[in-house]
Each structure stands twice: as C-alpha cells, then as structure tokens.
C-alpha cells in the first residue's frame, strides 16, 4: 500500500471515530457522495394541529413519522409573517428584508406581466445546487413572481409543476376567480387536476421515482394546503363527521389530505432506496390564521401576519435516517434560513456571495452535538410597522405604535407576562441589537396590501367580498380525487 493510501485510510478512521457510530458509514462514503434534499412546506398550518405538536382531532401519522424518525425543533421559526416573504428567505438563505421583499406582492393579476417578485439580484438554493450537479424541482405554490423572468425554471429549478400566485382553488375552477390562475408544467398551462393536494404529492413522488440512485436531487414541495379556500375532497372530509364546526371540519379534511400526500412522497423515497441519503425538512410558511381557516396555534398566542409567536413559530422537523438520531428534540432557536444553508454546505455548494452573504447556518452539527453553542445569537423579524428580535430566552416585540414588550418565550411561550418594566436593561440591549440589524435592510420594493395599479379584477373582488360577508362559510367538499 502506498504511503498516501495509508494516510487516507488513517484520516477516514479518525474522522469516523470522532463522529461516532451515526457518521461512520458516511465518513467511509466516496468523497463525491452528496445527499438528496427534500423541503416540504405547508401553507398557513396551525402550530398545534399536528400530532407531534399535540394535535388531537386530526391524525397526521405521515408527517408525525418525520419527527419520530428525526429531530423536532421546539423553537423553529420562519422569517416572515406571510407567504411570499418567507419563501423569499427560504430560497435565498438571506433575510428577505435585506433585498426589499418585505411584503406579499399579492393582488397582482398573474397574466399582467408584472416584475413584482424575488429580485433578479438574488440567487437561489436551486441555482447553487445545480452548479454542483443536482437535479432540481419545484412542485406546488411559487408566489415569488409571475413574470417569465421570475418563474421557477428561471430561478434554478429544472422542473416546475404548480401555480405562480399566492392561493389557488383545489379543484378545477375558472382561472379568473379569486386566487385562481393557470396550473403550469414548466411554462405550459395545463388542465387543473381533480384535487391539487393529491396531485402535488403524486408529482413529487414521481419526481423521486425518476431519479437515478447516486445522482443527487433537490425537491422543494410547497403545498397550498391548508390555505383557503376550504375545499377538501369528499374522501378526506368524510373522516371528520364528528367535528361539529364546519370550518374546522373542512380544515381537518384538508390537513388529512396533506398528510396523505406527504405519505406518498415518503413512500416513494423509501422504495427508491435513497431514504438514508436524503434529508427531509418539514415546515409551515407561517402561523395559522385561526379565524380564517379554522387552524389552531395553541399553545402560542397570535396568528399569521403578526410577529407574535403564533405568526412566526412553526412546526419544524428534519429527518435524515442513519445520521440524525430518531426521536430527538432540539431546543435552541433555529430559522427557515438554516434549511438552504444546510443544503448548500452538505452539497459542497456556494450559496450567496461575499457581497450578499447568507444569514442561515448548517444546523446538522448542532443537532448532533458537535457544536454546543446556539446556532444564532439573535433572530430578527420586520414586517412594516411591527418587528421583533429574539436573543436566548428573551423576545422583544413591538407592534405599530405600541410600547415595546419583552417576554421570556421559553418560560412563557404564550407571551402573557410582559417583562419590559421589570427588565429595562434587557429591553435596551435587544432594542439596540435590533436597530443595528435594521440599519442593514433595504427599503421595501412594494407596499403591503392593495394599492393603485394592483387592483383585483371584478371576479376577485366579488369573491373576496362574499367570503368576508360570511362569518362561517358554507363548506362544499370537492369530489374525491382519482385514486393513484
């Protein structure tokens, strides 16, 4: 044996011993081995609705299996209070406020050719992974721009199946109705499937099945479930006849359908023989709008569109069989920016640049105990007139013109006891840290909400007015999806 070969074997043995049993097989793998990454995003999911989060009335065995077989993050956050800003952070690894993507570019007619969306100055995790040999796909909701220059296949994704806007009916519907628009395969408009949730699960599963073992892939599966409109298929709605509230019953049907679709994806992954070489993340894009869709954010206070814990803390899990200990719990704060950062580092890819550095970190060494410190000294949020910062157990929150409030969100997860008057030194320290971060941010590229030049069309206005007029909407189930 050559001296260089003996040195290589000795180095691999030492790394295996230091990493422990869970990394022994990985250390001996060929240097070119790259893990697959699947990122599953639910839309407007309640913090307390999943089984592993304490949910009781809607069984979610497939999503729960990710926590059972991986790590659950008790203090997992997203960067935005609503859909599009969070997604901008998720694909770039950077706080979206750094490049002006602070609000939803909603209310934009998808056929209008607007350039509102993820700025072309930003690169994505899909861009980075493609450069190191990954096959990339986006299945589901995009909400980062409808202009052809801003669509998924121009932002690093080889394949796209889904819709471009912020919401969509689950069943075939006139594309001009509220939240509508075409379903795309690539840049081609196609017929809307019987039910979007099952269709997205099937499409993602088919993508996994097409990949050759040893050729790495990145799949971002962004469901629109459980976002309004409340249109579960008949099969899933029928499972919850005992839930008396019609809104909650319809929400339960949507959530059950989402769980089954995730099950289709996990089954395809297992049958592909690549389960132990694949990281699977699951998050929601923000907290649930509890009155809007019947979701449940317990034990948190607050809803989607707020910087209360109920708006920004989400179910957050990572499964990596054979690498991450099954059933583990990680209690330090992490954020959705860490997902692309983890993917890039494990793939040997470069995300961001010296001029536009990322804010996320690779969280795997923290989960494995190789790094003992918290992944982040501070986490930040800004959404117009409301903002927040978290350092350690403390969170300083300010909404509109109200006085800042301070909470220990570990001891007081529901943010009931304001500690601002009792701990003025902590308020001062966190306020100063937030102000330093705020100075680094860009001016928003567009305003939140509707404004001149972005009016809804007549059908959208009528549909939204009708929904607002109904305190409790009548739920009409969609027909059962065609069996796969």
């Amino acid at each position: 044996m050559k001296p260089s070969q003996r040195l290589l074997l000795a180095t691999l043995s030492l790394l295996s011993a230091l990493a422990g049993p869970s990394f022994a097989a990985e250390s001996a793998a060929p240097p070119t081995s790259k893990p697959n990454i699947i990122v599953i995003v639910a839309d407007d999911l309640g913090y307390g609705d999943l089984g592993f989060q304490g949910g009781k009335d809607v069984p979610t065995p497939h999503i729960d299996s990710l926590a059972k077989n991986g790590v659950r993050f008790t203090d997992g956050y997203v960067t935005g209070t609503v859909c599009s800003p969070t997604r901008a952070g998720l694909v770039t690894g950077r706080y979206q406020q750094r490049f002006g993507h602070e609000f939803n570019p909603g209310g934009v007619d998808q056929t209008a050719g607007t350039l509102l969306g993820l700025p072309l100055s930003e690169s994505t995790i899909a861009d980075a992974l493609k450069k190191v040999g990954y096959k990339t796909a986006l299945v589901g909701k995009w909400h980062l721009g409808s202009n052809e220059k801003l669509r998924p296949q121009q932002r690093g994704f080889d394949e796209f199946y889904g819709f471009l806007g912020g919401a969509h009916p689950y069943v075939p519907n006139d594309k001009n109705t509220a939240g509508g628009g075409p379903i795309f395969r690539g840049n081609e408009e196609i017929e809307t499937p019987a039910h979007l949730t099952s269709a997205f699960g099937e499409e993602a599963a088919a993508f996994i099945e097409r990949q050759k073992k040893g050729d790495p892939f990145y799949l971002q599966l962004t469901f629109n479930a459980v976002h309004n409109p409340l249109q579960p298929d008949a099969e899933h709605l029928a499972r919850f006849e005992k839930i008396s509230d019609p809104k909650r019953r319809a929400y339960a049907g949507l959530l059950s359908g989402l769980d089954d679709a995730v099950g289709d994806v996990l089954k395809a992954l297992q049958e592909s023989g690549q389960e132990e070489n694949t990281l699977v993340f699951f998050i929601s894009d923000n907290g649930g709008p509890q009155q809007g869709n019947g979701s449940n954010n317990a034990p948190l206070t607050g809803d989607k569109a707020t910087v209360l814990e109920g708006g920004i803390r989400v179910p957050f899990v990572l499964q990596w069989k054979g690498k991450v200990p099954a059933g583990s719990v990680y209690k330090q704060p992490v954020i959705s920016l860490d997902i692309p950062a983890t993917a890039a580092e494990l793939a040997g890819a470069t995300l961001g640049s010296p001029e536009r550095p990322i804010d996320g970190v690779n969280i795997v060494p923290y989960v494995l105990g190789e790094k003992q410190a918290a992944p982040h000294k501070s986490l930040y949020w800004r959404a117009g007139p409301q903002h927040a910062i978290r350092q350690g157990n403390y969170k300083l929150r300010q909404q509109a013109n109200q006085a800042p409030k301070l909470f220990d969100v570990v001891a007081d997860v529901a943010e009931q006891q304001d500690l601002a008057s009792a701990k003025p030194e902590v308020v001062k320290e966190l306020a100063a840290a937030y102000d330093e971060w705020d100075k680094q941010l860009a001016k928003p590229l567009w305003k939140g909400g509707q404004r001149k030049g972005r009016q809804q069309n007549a059908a959208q206005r009528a549909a939204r007015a009708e929904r607002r007029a109904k305190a409790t909407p009548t739920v009409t189930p969609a027909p059962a999806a065609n069996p796969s």
Side-chain angles (χ1 to χ4, degrees), residues 36 48-49 65 95 110 115 118 163 181-183 201 234 239 274 335 352 354:
N36 309 309
D49 279 319
S65 74
Y95 281 107
Q110 294 184 62
L115 278 174
L118 182 68
F163 63 93
I183 299 297
R239 297 177 181 180
Q274 301 198 70
I335 197 162

Side-chain angles (χ1 to χ4, degrees), residues 139-416:
V139 175
K141 172 177 171 176
W142 177 235
H143 207 190
L144 290 174
S146 59
N147 183 275
E148 290 186 4
K149 296 179 181 179
L150 303 176
R151 295 180 182 182
Q153 288 182 291
Q154 281 64 53
R155 309 312 300 266
F157 292 96
D158 295 308
E159 298 183 19
F160 170 52
Y161 176 86
F163 63 93
L164 298 172
H168 202 286
Y170 292 86
V171 296
N173 201 311
D174 185 331
K175 69 179 63 175
N176 291 317
T177 57
I183 299 297
F184 288 90
R185 184 178 295 281
N187 285 314
E188 180 183 353
E189 296 183 24
I190 61 172
E191 185 177 347
T192 301
H195 199 276
L196 279 187
T197 304
S198 57
F200 290 157
E202 291 164 5
E203 182 72 18
F207 172 80
I208 294 169
E209 291 164 356
R210 291 196 302 271
Q211 306 314 306
K212 292 174 59 179
K213 193 170 184 179
D215 292 343
F217 67 82
Y218 175 80
L219 169 63
Q220 190 165 313
L221 172 56
T222 52
F223 289 99
N224 56 319
V226 284
H227 193 293
N228 280 328
L230 295 172
Q231 293 176 326
D233 63 46
E235 174 193 347
H236 290 97
L237 183 63
R239 297 177 181 180
F240 302 99
E241 294 178 350
K242 293 183 179 179
I243 297 180
S244 59
D245 177 62
K247 183 186 292 185
R248 179 66 183 178
R249 184 167 65 249
Y251 176 89
L254 277 181
L255 179 53
S256 184
L258 169 65
D259 186 70
D260 281 348
V262 171
D264 290 341
V265 174
L266 297 180
K267 180 181 178 182
L269 180 62
Q270 184 179 40
E271 293 178 349
S272 74
Q274 301 198 70
E275 193 174 36
E276 293 196 356
N277 193 42
T278 304
L279 290 83
V280 183
F281 289 95
F282 179 92
I283 61 169
S284 178
D285 62 347
N286 44 247
Q290 297 173 111
Q291 296 301 313
N293 68 352
S295 54
N296 173 26
N297 289 334
L300 309 179
T301 300
D303 297 81
K304 172 184 178 177
T306 74
V307 293
L308 279 74
E309 292 292 279
I312 55 177
R313 192 191 290 207
V314 297
F316 197 131
V317 293
L318 164 61
Q319 173 187 289
W320 193 9
K321 287 191 173 181
K323 308 296 187 298
V324 170
S328 54
V329 177
Y330 188 78
K331 296 184 178 181
Q332 294 283 5
V334 297
I335 197 162
S336 51
L337 302 171
D338 298 331
I339 294 175
T342 300
E345 184 165 322
L346 293 176
T350 300
L351 181 61
S353 67
E355 298 76 26
R356 308 181 79 81
I358 65 171
D359 297 295
V361 301
N362 176 9
I363 52 177
V364 171
Y366 295 93
V367 170
L368 296 176
E370 297 170 357
K371 293 185 178 181
Q372 299 297 324
H376 303 273
K377 179 181 179 181
S378 305
L379 296 178
Y380 309 91
W381 297 269
R382 190 182 81 177
Q386 56 176 334
H387 63 257
I389 176 174
R390 177 168 173 183
Q391 282 189 359
N393 290 6
Y394 291 113
K395 174 184 170 186
L396 183 68
R397 186 187 85 207
Q398 185 157 10
Q399 294 177 275
N401 296 320
Q402 299 177 13
K405 296 182 178 182
L406 179 70
F407 302 94
D408 180 337
V409 290
V410 174
D412 177 24
V413 68
E415 296 173 286
Q416 297 299 297

